[in-house]
Amino acid sequence: MKQIQEIINIFRPAKNLNFEKMGPTNPNARGIPVPASKKGFHLDKSIEKVCPTGGLKVSSSKEVIFDYGACLQCGHCVEASSGQLENSGFVHVYSVDREALKVRYIDGVPVAYEEEVSENVKQFRKITKNTGFQYREVAASGNNATEAEINASFNAVFDSEASMVRVVASPKHSDAVVFAGPVGPNMEIPLQVAWDTTPGPKALIACGTEAVSGGLFQRGKLPKEPDLFIGGDPPRPDVIVSAFRYLMGRKKFSFREELSKFISERRSKS
Ligand code: SF4
């Protein structure tokens, strides 16, 4: 009987996520704050004070700049905005261009920006698109939350290895270094050593808001400008795996295009 059950299991459809069909939002998550979809947007400058990371700047009552690479998705600004901001559920916050995560909204509409792709990322895509990549993770003074989500990215639901992304113990065997945390003074040298030991062509990946911008802390010195920035404190496992697929060129994605599309759909429904 047990053997029959095992044979049936072989033919059962896999329960892991279909990354091809995944959208940028998650109904169970707070996501990044965005201007409310109703018309007549105006925001008071005093709201800047509620943000613990300096993640939003109000240049005029009609203009706000969010740095989603510094945003913890804590929702404090939404609570203090008298209905002018909303939690969006938009969680796929990642780009190969740090500037792409800084979004200027005028009258609630994001200003267009074209993401720049560096030569290093183009080279990395060439070698990893069909074969995937291996990475060494460096826990660089964080609180282990991002590491917990990275661990979860290998479970049967998110199945990072099915996306051809594996973790290895030694940077000598890796194609990329993933770091989480704000890189405190004691972790600057270990991160540099891990990077120097990784053979090229290689990529440096900042995973989580603290790694991207420092979050609540001053971020330490990095070996180089990262090749991929993943926002979220911590980012969800599906966001991490999707960001890796995008870095490899296996997933077509532009944070700015997806966000603009999302905002325009919300506004047309309101
Ligand atoms: S960190 Fe919190 S308060 Fe600051 S922009 Fe993000 S959600 Fe708003």
Side-chain angles (χ1 to χ4, degrees):
M1 189 61 192
K2 202 173 164 200
Q3 286 93 330
I4 293 172
Q5 192 57 48
E6 280 177 9
I7 291 167
I8 292 170
N9 284 346
I10 292 172
F11 295 103
R12 279 215 170 105
K15 290 274 171 41
N16 49 345
L17 281 187
N18 185 342
F19 284 91
E20 303 291 336
K21 292 189 178 161
M22 187 176 291
T25 58
N26 186 311
N28 300 318
R30 199 180 282 130
I32 53 174
V34 297
S37 33
K38 64 182 183 215
K39 293 197 174 99
F41 179 74
H42 63 92
L43 207 54
D44 197 275
K45 195 162 176 62
S46 61
I47 201 164
E48 289 179 358
K49 292 193 194 122
V50 307
C51 180
T53 63
L56 85 157
K57 294 271 171 281
V58 178
S59 352
S60 74
S61 63
K62 296 273 173 207
E63 190 174 327
V64 58
I65 303 161
F66 280 101
D67 179 358
Y68 292 128
C71 177
L72 305 172
Q73 302 176 18
C74 68
H76 286 174
C77 55
V78 173
E79 283 167 25
S81 73
S82 310
Q84 293 297 314
L85 300 174
E86 289 174 348
N87 294 314
S88 62
F90 195 111
V91 288
H92 282 240
V93 181
Y94 46 83
S95 178
V96 293
D97 178 358
R98 175 71 179 89
E99 290 307 304
L101 300 182
K102 299 174 185 170
V103 182
R104 178 188 297 272
Y105 293 87
I106 298 177
D107 215 3
V109 178
V111 173
Y113 175 85
E114 203 162 319
E115 180 182 70
E116 280 184 26
V117 182
S118 70
E119 280 310 312
N120 195 53
V121 168
K122 286 180 190 162
Q123 181 68 16
F124 191 76
R125 280 186 175 156
K126 264 189 208 156
I127 61 162
T128 59
K129 187 170 181 186
N130 296 321
T131 57
F133 70 93
Q134 306 194 135
Y135 68 87
R136 162 72 210 209
E137 201 267 343
V138 177
S141 332
N143 57 13
N144 229 21
T146 299
E147 279 76 14
E149 301 300 329
I150 288 173
N151 282 346
S153 74
F154 289 91
N155 71 25
V157 177
F158 305 106
D159 205 357
S160 184
E161 294 198 351
S163 293
M164 301 190 298
V165 183
R166 296 164 287 270
V167 75
V168 287
S170 169
K172 283 185 195 163
H173 305 146
S174 59
D175 308 295
V177 173
V178 174
F179 71 97
V183 194
N186 292 342
M187 286 310 295
E188 288 178 357
I189 291 173
L191 180 59
Q192 181 72 53
V193 170
W195 176 252
D196 291 343
T197 314
T198 305
K202 55 186 170 179
L204 183 66
I205 300 173
C207 192
T209 301
E210 289 181 342
V212 173
S213 65
L216 295 169
F217 309 95
Q218 178 80 30
R219 200 193 55 194
K221 191 167 164 281
L222 303 182
K224 73 182 271 288
E225 174 80 353
D227 298 290
L228 173 65
F229 302 87
I230 310 175
D233 188 50
R236 298 171 58 87
D238 47 312
V239 173
I240 294 171
V241 176
S242 295
F244 291 162
R245 293 171 65 94
Y246 150 77
L247 176 65
M248 288 188 277
R250 291 179 69 80
K251 173 187 169 83
K252 285 222 175 311
F253 181 82
S254 157
F255 171 67
R256 295 300 287 262
E257 277 175 26
E258 290 292 331
L259 182 65
S260 295
K261 201 163 88 187
F262 172 77
I263 298 282
S264 128
E265 281 168 10
R266 273 165 78 97
R267 286 172 74 88
S268 64
K269 279 183 204 155
S270 69

